[in-house]
């Protein structure tokens, strides 16, 4: 076991663990320290090979290891850097690093259209949370932002390439969970974009999961498009018998209407078990599901707005 | 008899004179008070004909603004509704179709936008939350109705007209809103 210290909190991890995973281990064991987990826009633990692209998870390593205590010269991507014995890592305690992260957020937002009032992802968007927590409130960018027409990928998925931050999560998801990938990243550098061959429909059973893994509003549910806002719908844990997937989902309801079905996400906003397209798109009636109960939402999330847990007192 | 407290008063019950029995001094003093009020300044105004001056930041009924070209600014983002402490605002969004660009500014717009004026407490948080500068509170007041349903204002009551004379001037509220933001940024 290797000893690693992150923001003054010590933990023991297996060899081969990355700094990000070690920080998440601390947050899981001691939830009061969950703020020290670096944000991650591209790393997604269920997806093999993801990470290392967005640079939001950078941390400062002030001591490389017990044997070689020199600090690492530059901030490192915590999702890719493995822990060494006796490593000392600074994340939230290092003001220089927070300034660097602010710069990264600014770079991610350069081509982002900032159309949150229109975007269906608003309220559960990682880029929104990241910009709120680490970014500047105003943009300094004066050049023209690159824009794209929105693309229909099949009948269920809408691609807004303007909002994409090129995290590659959807590409890995399609590679690893579906038989045949028909979309990918075309072109290079600042012209890179998610594209499909001749806008071919994604027909695989698990293709809908690209909606859940997308950290921004680039890939959204077309059946939910403009139906409601995330914070007006009420999430319920539900399950049904499905021979393709686990059938465990979250129903986003308004009254008795099921507006949207998504997979369940853990505290790090990663999908616990991927669900099939049949569960996601074809069963939008309450009767098809066994509802387990309301899903608990963090009270600082906007999704918890106007939702009350306490039973109302009867007015005499 | 011994007194129970030292605060008790001795009441005299002397016989009243004839005039006092006929209420003459009481009526006269009462008339005097009434007469005095004839010459005092009135504390009320004759409302529909005469109106009081409003404070420049008075918060009355809402208006949904259009932009300079006459397109509706509201994009049904729902931030006013989530900011509303009285939960008075509801809306349904719809997608703008081709050819409606002059009607709605963004690709999404509010097909239904309702404010329940009985619920509204005119706090102005909707105006503060609005990212599109679409909703403003005006110095106009909500009239009284006989039917509760009439207080639910739809878009027909809220959206301002396209013609220049139908536009609602919100420059004072806008000034206040802009300054509020600057004071929050540099306290």
């Amino acid at each position: 076991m290797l000893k690693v210290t992150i923001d003054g909190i010590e933990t023991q991890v297996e060899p081969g663990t990355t700094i990000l995973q070690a920080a998440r281990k601390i947050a899981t064991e001691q939830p009061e320290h969950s703020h020290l987990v670096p944000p991650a826009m591209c790393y997604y633990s269920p997806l093999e090979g993801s990470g290392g692209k967005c640079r939001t998870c950078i941390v400062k390593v002030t001591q490389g290891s017990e044997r070689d205590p020199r600090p690492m010269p530059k901030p490192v991507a915590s999702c890719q850097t493995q822990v060494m014995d006796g490593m000392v890592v600074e994340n939230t305690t290092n003001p220089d690093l927070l300034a660097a992260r602010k710069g990264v957020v600014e770079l991610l937002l350069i081509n982002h259209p900032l159309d949150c009032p229109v975007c269906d992802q608003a309220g559960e968007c990682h880029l929104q949370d990241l910009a709120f927590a680490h970014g500047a409130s105003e943009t300094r960018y004066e050049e023209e932002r690159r824009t794209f027409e929105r693309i229909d990928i099949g009948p269920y998925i809408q691609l807004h390439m303007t909002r994409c931050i090129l995290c590659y999560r959807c590409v890995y998801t399609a590679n690893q969970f579906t038989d045949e990938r028909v979309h990918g990243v075309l072109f290079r550098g600042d012209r890179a974009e998610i594209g499909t061959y001749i806008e071919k429909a994604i027909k695989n059973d698990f293709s809908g999961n690209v909606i859940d893994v997308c950290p921004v509003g680039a890939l959204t549910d077309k059946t939910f498009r403009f139906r409601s806002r995330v914070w007006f719908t009420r999430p319920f844990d539900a399950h049904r018998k499905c021979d393709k997937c686990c059938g465990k989902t979250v129903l986003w309801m308004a009254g008795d209407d099921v507006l949207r079905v998504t997979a369940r996400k853990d505290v790090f906003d990663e999908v616990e078990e991927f669900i099939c397209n049949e569960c996601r798109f074809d069963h939008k009636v309450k009767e098809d599901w066994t509802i387990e109960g309301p899903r608990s939402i963090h009270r600082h999330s906007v999704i918890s707005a106007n939702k009350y847990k306490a039973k109302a007192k009867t007015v005499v | 008899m011994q007194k129970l407290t030292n605060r008790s008063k001795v009441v005299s019950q002397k016989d009243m004179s004839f005039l006092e029995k006929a209420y003459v001094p009481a009526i006269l003093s009462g008339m005097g008070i009434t007469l005095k009020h004839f010459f005092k300044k009135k504390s009320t105004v004759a409302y529909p004909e005469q109106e009081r001056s409003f404070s420049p930041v008075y918060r009355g009924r809402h208006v949904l603004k259009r932009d300079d070209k006459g397109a509706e600014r509201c994009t049904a983002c729902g931030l006013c509704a989530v900011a509303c402490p009285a939960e008075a605002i509801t809306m349904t969004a719809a997608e703008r179709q081709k050819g409606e660009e002059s009607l709605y500014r963004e690709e999404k717009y509010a097909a239904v936008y309702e404010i329940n004026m009985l619920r509204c407490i005119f706090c102005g948080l909707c105006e503060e939350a609005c990212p599109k500068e679409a909703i403003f509170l005006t110095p106009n007041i909500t009239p009284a109705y006989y039917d509760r349903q009439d207080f639910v204002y739809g878009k027909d009551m809220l959206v301002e007209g396209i013609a220049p004379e139908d536009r609602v001037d919100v420059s004072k509220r806008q000034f206040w809103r802009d300054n509020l933001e600057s004071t929050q940024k540099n306290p």
Side-chain angles (χ1 to χ4, degrees):
Chain A
M1 295 293 266
L2 308 176
K3 193 186 87 179
V4 57
T5 312
I6 301 173
D7 280 352
I9 313 294
E10 229 180 75
T11 190
Q12 302 275 341
V13 292
E14 300 279 334
T17 313
T18 61
I19 298 173
L20 185 72
Q21 284 164 343
R24 286 186 176 180
K25 183 171 174 257
I26 292 175
T28 316
E29 286 164 1
Q30 311 166 44
E32 69 273 20
H33 294 306
S34 53
H35 66 278
L36 63 77
V37 180
M41 296 297 289
C42 64
Y43 175 75
Y44 211 66
S45 53
L47 302 175
E48 209 179 303
S50 65
K53 294 178 180 64
C54 69
R55 317 311 283 190
T56 48
C57 65
I58 49 169
V59 290
K60 181 82 188 154
V61 177
T62 49
Q63 181 180 318
S65 67
E66 195 74 56
R67 240 190 300 160
D68 182 6
R70 289 178 300 169
M72 290 193 185
K74 286 194 285 187
V76 293
S78 62
C79 64
Q80 296 294 303
T81 314
Q82 292 188 355
V83 164
M84 306 275 277
D85 194 26
M87 190 182 252
V88 179
V89 178
E90 282 181 355
N91 177 24
T92 55
T93 51
N94 192 327
D96 289 349
L97 184 90
L98 292 177
R101 186 170 289 149
K102 195 173 173 179
V104 171
V105 176
E106 196 171 7
L107 280 169
L108 283 180
L109 288 172
I110 271 187
N111 277 314
H112 197 77
L114 301 175
D115 60 346
C116 305
V118 176
C119 180
D120 278 325
Q121 188 89 357
E124 50 177 24
C125 173
H126 293 197
L127 190 59
Q128 216 177 18
D129 296 344
L130 185 77
F132 185 74
H134 300 282
S137 60
E138 276 170 13
T139 177
R140 293 186 291 167
Y141 193 66
E142 289 169 358
E143 322 302 321
E144 203 173 311
R145 289 160 199 259
R146 62 173 200 166
T147 50
F148 295 88
E149 285 290 306
R150 66 166 197 273
I151 299 164
D152 295 336
I153 305 182
Y156 297 129
I157 304 170
Q158 185 93 62
L159 168 61
H160 287 88
M161 196 49 224
T162 29
R163 297 175 188 153
C164 179
I165 57 163
L166 291 167
C167 69
Y168 282 67
R169 276 183 189 177
C170 58
V171 179
Y172 288 117
T173 309
N175 257 355
Q176 291 167 25
F177 292 96
T178 62
D179 316 328
E180 208 175 283
R181 169 162 72 88
V182 291
H183 82 292
V185 176
L186 311 178
F187 312 120
R188 300 169 77 177
D190 67 336
R191 296 192 187 171
E193 59 174 279
I194 300 287
T196 54
Y197 293 122
I198 4 176
E199 294 181 15
K200 199 172 156 186
I202 297 184
K203 290 197 187 107
N204 305 295
D205 269 340
F206 282 77
S207 62
N209 288 305
V210 296
I211 297 165
D212 279 347
V213 301
C214 184
V216 293
L219 290 159
T220 47
D221 191 337
K222 222 170 132 186
T223 57
F224 183 62
R225 183 171 162 81
F226 298 164
R227 288 287 302 280
S228 183
R229 304 295 281 172
V230 174
W231 53 84
F232 295 145
T233 52
R234 280 151 215 276
F236 288 92
D237 281 336
H239 64 264
R240 65 179 277 275
K241 243 186 150 173
C242 178
D243 45 2
K244 289 178 200 154
C245 67
C246 62
K248 290 179 190 162
T249 58
V250 181
L251 303 186
W252 299 80
M253 316 226 324
D256 276 350
D257 300 334
V258 179
L259 295 187
R260 189 169 65 132
V261 183
T262 64
R264 292 184 194 176
K265 294 185 179 181
D266 61 11
V267 284
F268 305 114
D269 264 323
E270 289 180 345
V271 171
E272 285 167 1
E273 282 167 288
F274 289 93
I275 61 168
C276 65
N277 281 6
E278 195 194 327
C279 288
R280 188 185 298 272
F281 299 118
D282 298 341
H283 293 278
K284 293 205 172 173
V285 272
K286 204 178 84 179
E287 285 69 35
D288 286 1
W289 297 90
T290 314
I291 292 176
E292 293 160 24
R295 187 167 179 78
S296 102
I297 298 287
H298 196 271
R299 70 186 187 88
H300 290 301
S301 166
V302 70
I303 301 172
S304 71
N306 294 354
K307 297 180 177 64
Y308 309 107
K309 272 184 189 164
K311 218 173 172 185
K313 282 178 194 156
T314 38
V315 180
V316 183
Chain B
M1 202 175 72
Q2 203 187 348
K3 284 179 183 174
L4 289 171
T5 69
N6 55 3
R7 284 185 292 177
S8 63
K9 275 184 185 170
V10 182
V11 186
S12 77
Q13 218 172 9
K14 69 170 188 200
D15 282 340
M16 286 193 274
S17 68
F18 176 73
L19 282 178
E20 278 174 335
K21 275 182 182 163
Y23 297 107
V24 174
I27 288 173
L28 285 179
S29 72
M31 294 292 270
I33 292 171
T34 310
L35 202 69
K36 208 165 69 187
H37 277 275
F38 284 169
F39 305 103
K40 275 192 173 171
K41 193 171 170 268
K42 276 180 196 165
S43 54
T44 55
V45 291
Y47 164 60
E49 292 82 27
Q50 207 184 341
E51 276 186 26
R52 272 181 198 281
S53 61
F54 283 95
S55 152
V57 290
Y58 182 84
R59 299 187 299 261
R61 58 179 277 193
H62 314 66
V63 64
L64 284 173
K65 292 289 289 175
R66 293 174 184 274
D67 67 3
D68 301 337
K69 290 171 193 155
E72 280 174 28
R73 288 184 178 177
C74 176
T75 176
C77 71
L79 285 183
C80 48
V82 79
C84 182
E87 296 181 23
I89 305 177
T90 51
M91 68 188 68
T92 311
E95 189 165 0
R96 184 181 67 185
Q97 303 300 319
K98 280 238 164 67
E100 293 181 332
E101 281 83 355
S102 59
L103 289 175
Y104 312 109
R105 199 169 62 169
E106 311 279 339
E107 62 177 314
K108 186 173 75 160
Y109 68 94
V112 178
Y113 190 103
E114 285 182 343
I115 302 180
N116 188 337
M117 290 298 177
L118 291 173
R119 281 194 157 205
C120 178
I121 56 169
F122 300 98
C123 61
L125 284 181
C126 47
E127 178 184 36
E128 218 174 291
C130 184
K132 296 287 175 190
E133 302 198 359
I135 191 166
F136 280 98
L137 272 66
T138 63
N140 305 330
I141 59 169
T142 318
Y145 301 103
Y146 288 109
D147 198 349
R148 293 181 78 87
Q149 200 53 42
D150 293 341
F151 286 94
V152 180
Y153 277 25
K155 275 182 80 177
D156 51 331
M157 301 287 278
L158 294 167
V159 182
E160 65 174 356
I162 301 179
E165 66 271 16
D166 294 337
R167 294 298 180 101
V168 181
D169 178 38
V170 289
S171 51
K172 281 175 187 161
R173 294 293 298 170
Q174 190 134 30
F175 178 78
W176 173 82
R177 185 192 136 123
D178 293 348
N179 283 295
L180 177 89
E181 276 173 10
S182 69
T183 47
Q184 277 174 348
K185 247 175 251 167
N186 325 301

